[in-house]
Amino acid sequence: MAAMTMNHTATLATLPPELLTLILPQLDQISLIRLAGTCASMRSNIYDFLQNSKTLDMKNIQKAAFMFLTRNGSVTSLTRLSLWAHPDRSMVNLNRVRKFVRQNRNLEALSLVNIQLIDPLLDVIMKLPQLKFLEVSHVKKSQILEVKKLKKKGCRVSVRVDSAVVLIYV
């Protein structure tokens, strides 16, 4: 009788969701995009992961990664968001940043570095009810008084200039 051989090839797509929840947080944005492009079930798993994420760190993010992570308004339950654009490159449409912040109403900590703080974005930030920490750069003089109002709400604010924190409101 011939010996039976079984081929057990495990792929990420065949892993149980419990294991994926341990793996996906370890990946950077570009790896998430590439993995999402492998098959429909993996894309679905990644969107589920993003939907349930409380923290998103997008430092030195590339435009393609930002577009992927903010697509379809699927990320809406964040409490911490770090969005640092590369200082020498235009990253994303500022209205898309504004919409993304508005969709995450429970943000407690928000870092927007190397992103121009346009007035409509500042209006959205001012309406975040849970905000406890705000880090920004590119603040116009006309916006300083508005930013100072966050202090009255119990929010700590730091303003960066050339990668150094120059002003902190506690």
Side-chain angles (χ1 to χ4, degrees):
M1 189 177 260
M4 293 182 58
T5 60
M6 309 256 320
N7 184 5
H8 293 302
T9 303
T11 65
L12 279 175
T14 60
L15 288 177
E18 297 81 12
L19 288 178
L20 283 176
T21 60
L22 298 173
I23 296 169
L24 294 179
Q26 307 304 315
L27 301 178
D28 63 15
Q29 298 93 1
I30 300 301
S31 298
L32 285 172
I33 292 171
R34 289 180 178 154
L35 191 55
T38 60
C39 65
S41 66
M42 189 55 66
R43 185 172 31 260
S44 176
N45 284 325
I46 290 172
Y47 280 139
D48 288 345
F49 162 72
L50 291 172
Q51 247 180 343
N52 296 313
S53 293
K54 298 293 181 199
T55 301
L56 192 54
D57 184 0
M58 295 193 281
K59 291 184 179 168
N60 295 322
I61 189 153
Q62 297 174 7
K63 185 174 182 176
F66 182 78
M67 297 298 283
F68 172 78
L69 293 168
T70 60
R71 184 178 295 139
N72 301 327
S74 59
V75 180
T76 59
S77 60
L78 295 177
T79 57
R80 302 180 68 79
L81 172 63
S82 293
L83 183 57
W84 292 38
H86 191 281
D88 299 331
R89 286 183 257 157
S90 172
M91 186 197 64
V92 293
N93 179 301
L94 294 173
N95 285 322
R96 190 157 185 142
V97 173
R98 178 185 53 82
K99 182 179 176 184
F100 188 60
V101 171
R102 187 178 63 226
Q103 288 172 332
N104 287 279
R105 301 272 311 143
N106 294 321
L107 282 171
E108 296 173 5
L110 176 61
S111 294
L112 299 173
V113 177
N114 296 325
I115 295 174
Q116 183 182 4
L117 190 61
I118 58 174
D119 289 337
L121 175 56
L122 181 57
D123 291 342
V124 169
I125 292 169
M126 296 300 294
K127 294 175 184 169
L128 293 172
Q130 308 296 324
L131 194 64
K132 302 287 184 252
F133 176 76
L134 174 66
E135 179 179 29
V136 291
S137 60
H138 301 289
V139 177
K140 296 182 266 181
K141 285 184 181 180
S142 61
Q143 297 171 323
I144 294 291
L145 288 175
E146 197 69 15
V147 170
K148 282 184 177 181
K149 289 179 185 177
L150 288 170
K151 179 184 174 186
K152 293 179 183 176
K153 292 179 162 183
C155 181
R156 199 177 75 185
V157 179
S158 70
V159 178
R160 289 182 163 269
V161 175
D162 295 331
S163 75
V165 176
V166 293
L167 186 60
I168 295 181
Y169 299 105
V170 181

